[in-house]
Amino acid sequence: MRKIPTAVFISGRGSNMLSLLESQKDPTCAYKITLVISNNAEAGGLQLAQDHGVQSAIFPNDWYKGRRQAQEEAIHSLLLEQKIELIALAGYMRVLTPWFVDQWCRRIVNIHPSLLPLYPGLHTHQRALASGDSQHGCTVHFVTAELDAGPIILQATVPVLPDDTEEKLAARVLVEEHRIYPRALALVAQQQEHTS
Ligand code: GRF
């Protein structure tokens, strides 16, 4: 079975990347992470990638300050060189330009910590609490040029409890992120395999 060569983009601790790496140990998993891209040299996830024997590359935001197009072109070239076919954003804290999204149309997915279309952008847990929502959750979606607005692939809900803090709620949502992201990525990879 051919596995779809996949790059994961991170900026931080990389817990979602880790769940994707762990899931690919299943021999039936349709994707294989062969490259990790970070825009932050300090990202904790880089060590996790190394521990799993996955090559990583760093394109620091501060080095590319004011040169976003150059940063994306460099990333794009490496992805092509490494024969990457699918991109999973996992806490990648930089909005991709329409140019980049267009190059990778329907081949970039993202995990977002809210029940989209509710709460695109940042501080999703705080906003769900402030709105008095009884349910919250996470969404895996295709990336389009509009932030957190692409077609939804999978969602999971969690209850909001009376004594919730932002941290407690975030932790409850994160468990679901780790559960649904590997499933969603595998679905997209399977689909890609059938259409390629
Ligand atoms: C996650 O909450 C994810 O939903 C959001 O950024 C966070 C990344 O966490 N996009 P991690 O680096 O995967 O631990």
Side-chain angles (χ1 to χ4, degrees):
M1 164 194 180
R2 190 176 90 88
K3 291 175 184 278
I4 303 292
T6 301
V8 182
F9 285 27
I10 61 167
S11 300
R13 67 188 163 182
S15 72
N16 276 288
M17 178 198 71
L18 185 61
S19 75
L20 297 175
L21 284 167
E22 291 295 329
S23 292
Q24 75 179 12
K25 290 179 182 162
D26 178 341
T28 66
C29 181
Y31 64 83
K32 181 167 169 57
I33 296 165
T34 53
L35 182 64
V36 169
I37 300 282
S38 175
N39 57 0
N40 170 18
E42 308 300 320
L46 288 167
Q47 182 63 47
L48 297 173
Q50 191 179 328
D51 295 346
H52 282 74
V54 179
Q55 183 195 339
S56 59
I58 307 168
F59 297 85
N61 282 350
D62 36 11
W63 201 77
Y64 285 100
K65 212 167 188 131
R67 299 190 304 129
R68 182 176 299 221
Q69 177 84 14
Q71 183 185 31
E72 289 190 347
E73 280 171 3
I75 293 172
H76 181 63
S77 298
L78 180 62
L79 296 173
L80 294 183
E81 199 181 294
Q82 299 287 319
K83 309 223 177 313
I84 295 297
E85 295 178 34
L86 189 58
I87 297 170
L89 306 183
Y92 187 68
M93 300 304 284
R94 185 163 237 199
V95 177
L96 296 167
T97 65
W99 172 79
F100 188 91
V101 172
D102 198 43
Q103 302 300 311
W104 292 90
C105 183
R106 281 274 177 175
R107 293 186 295 157
I108 313 176
V109 298
N110 180 43
I111 177 91
H112 183 75
S114 80
L115 293 172
L116 291 172
L118 289 176
Y119 315 127
L122 298 174
H123 311 298
T124 57
H125 309 306
Q126 192 188 78
R127 286 152 76 197
L129 286 172
S131 301
D133 295 352
S134 61
Q135 286 201 314
H136 186 43
C138 52
T139 304
V140 182
H141 64 96
F142 285 105
V143 172
T144 58
E146 196 184 339
L147 182 69
D148 299 328
I152 289 171
I153 302 160
L154 277 182
Q155 289 187 306
T157 57
V158 301
V160 179
L161 303 178
D163 67 338
D164 262 347
T165 59
E166 214 180 308
E167 291 70 29
K168 284 185 186 174
L169 186 53
R172 195 174 307 122
V173 171
L174 194 62
V175 171
E176 293 303 306
E177 293 184 34
H178 295 164
R179 190 175 66 80
I180 68 167
Y181 205 6
R183 289 185 190 184
L185 187 63
L187 284 174
V188 173
Q190 269 164 28
Q191 182 70 26
Q192 201 144 314
E193 168 63 358
H194 288 134
T195 51
S196 64

